[in-house]
Amino acid sequence: MQPQSRTGYVPLYFLSALGAGGLMVTFFLYLMFWVPHPGQSVPVFEDIMAALTAGSPLTQAMIVTAWAGIAAFAFLMIRSLVWNLRTLAAFRATPGYEKLMGSNAGSQLLAVPLALAMAVNGGFILGLVFVPGLWSVVEYLFPLAIIAFVVIGGYGLRLYGRFLAERIGKAGIDCAANNSFSQTLPAFAFAMTGVGLAAPAAMSAVKATVAVSLMLSSFFILLALVIALVTMIMGLRAMMEHGANPEAAPTLLIAIPLLTVVAIAWLRQSHGMHVHLDVHGGAAASFTLLLPLFVLQLVTALFGLTVMRAQGYFSRYITGPERSPASYALVCPGVALSVMLQFFVNKGLVGAGIIEKFSAVYWASTAPALLLQVATIALVLKLNAKHFGGERTPVALAA
């Protein structure tokens, strides 16, 4: 079992499970883009085994690395999720929980459906990669997945509705203490639900399933975008007046994972509409969709990292002695940029015929995604050691 946090418990620790699940995705993309999978939009166990048997030693090494990475981070994700769920149950009985719910920080509870939605997505990856014959019954699994995501999304709506009722309906939001993008976390949670709901649109052969997937995913994606727009304007206004909250500075990068999730959802929806609704966008459609979103991510990174560097965040909370659960929010941008780069190169540049797959230019374009992946893995290991290593702090007494 995972040891207790050394900082006291807050729901932001669900981001540790989210980050591990995101790193699972980065390894799955090796198989997604480098293993042939004719007949379906994603690779399955049979495709991977065929490539492993007939492939070169380099291909075999890539597949083994992907398998190992998916399995290792699936383990970390599940372990962290179980620990968080158990610890949160105990935390609810403490004065710290009441204090949390009586402040702006009550929106941190949306990290729970965020991590749960990632866990369902991660479970689907495990099935595709390790379960023989899964594709033969996948049409029966899609309705179950839709139900799971609707339940998670409904849970998120309930939590967020309760938070809004308490903050806006009664006490109000402390705008001076809202000097970060922490209130955008609910948008990320709903976007994660939306991208999961969009998966059947890209993979199902049943038109009714695709239609339900398109409608439900559109609801959660648009909800996420509205919340993100409003909360980021509010947060930016508070930062202009009071400066950015140093401890919550990683939230300045939250638009990066949010845009990656939205981009993947739109790609899935586009594929479903192309196959089932005769909506055609041309060879460069993915490129024109991904390019502005990728540029927005780079602008966000420049803004966020500039502020964090000015505040000395990394020397305080990453390499230095101070600990903050919000540091786990830094894992998401690293994962998200790595994933977006893979999609931009493979679906955008290769798909539009701008570069040739597996050429020298292709690998040069892919290298930043792989470097980001390695750097993010190192960050996760560093944070886990910093927050869960050594002495233990009783969670029941945490504020």
Side-chain angles (χ1 to χ4, degrees), residues 21-22 26 48 57 66 82 105 115 119 141-142 146 153 201 211 220 283 296 302 305 328 331 373 378 384 391:
T26 64
I48 300 167
V82 170
L141 299 179
F142 287 141
I146 288 174
F220 282 101
L296 282 174
L302 288 173
L305 293 175
Y328 276 97
V331 177
Q373 180 192 33
N384 285 348
E391 65 189 78

Side-chain angles (χ1 to χ4, degrees), residues 177-197:
N178 191 41
N179 52 340
S180 69
F181 288 156
S182 58
Q183 295 303 320
T184 309
L185 179 64
F188 191 15
F190 292 129
M192 187 66 71
T193 302
V195 75
L197 284 166

Side-chain angles (χ1 to χ4, degrees), residues 129-305:
V129 171
F130 293 114
V131 179
L134 183 73
W135 201 254
S136 64
V137 297
V138 74
E139 294 295 349
Y140 299 100
L141 299 179
F142 287 141
L144 297 177
I146 288 174
I147 291 171
F149 282 115
V150 167
V151 170
I152 292 171
Y155 175 56
L157 287 170
R158 180 184 173 191
L159 291 176
Y160 197 49
R162 186 183 303 166
F163 170 76
L164 292 179
E166 182 66 29
R167 295 293 91 208
I168 298 178
K170 297 179 182 178
I173 290 178
D174 184 355
C175 291
N178 191 41
N179 52 340
S180 69
F181 288 156
S182 58
Q183 295 303 320
T184 309
L185 179 64
F188 191 15
F190 292 129
M192 187 66 71
T193 302
V195 75
L197 284 166
M203 292 182 272
S204 178
V206 178
K207 194 169 187 178
T209 302
V210 171
V212 171
S213 170
L214 287 170
M215 291 185 285
L216 290 174
S217 61
S218 294
F219 171 80
F220 282 101
I221 291 298
L222 291 174
L223 174 64
L225 291 175
V226 170
I227 293 172
L229 178 63
V230 173
T231 56
M232 292 181 78
I233 291 174
M234 290 173 55
L236 188 60
R237 169 66 180 80
M239 283 187 279
M240 291 295 185
E241 184 174 356
H242 303 286
N245 182 336
E247 190 172 349
T251 65
L252 300 183
L253 303 176
I254 196 170
I256 295 175
L258 179 63
L259 289 171
T260 292
V261 169
V262 169
I264 295 172
W266 281 345
L267 286 173
R268 288 174 169 180
Q269 290 180 333
S270 177
H271 182 79
M273 289 188 285
H274 169 74
V275 173
H276 295 278
L277 302 178
D278 202 29
V279 177
H280 304 289
S286 294
F287 175 75
T288 56
L289 168 66
L290 294 172
L291 178 59
L293 298 179
F294 180 51
V295 171
L296 282 174
Q297 288 180 315
L298 295 180
V299 171
T300 298
L302 288 173
F303 167 68
L305 293 175

Side-chain angles (χ1 to χ4, degrees), residues 41-86:
S41 56
V42 290
V44 296
F45 176 80
E46 289 75 14
D47 299 317
I48 300 167
M49 287 303 300
L52 184 67
T53 302
S56 66
L58 189 60
T59 297
Q60 293 171 340
M62 177 272 293
I63 292 173
V64 171
T65 300
W67 268 343
I70 291 170
F73 284 102
F75 171 76
L76 286 179
M77 177 187 69
I78 294 169
R79 185 180 71 165
S80 178
L81 186 61
V82 170
W83 177 82
N84 271 283
L85 289 171
R86 295 181 62 177

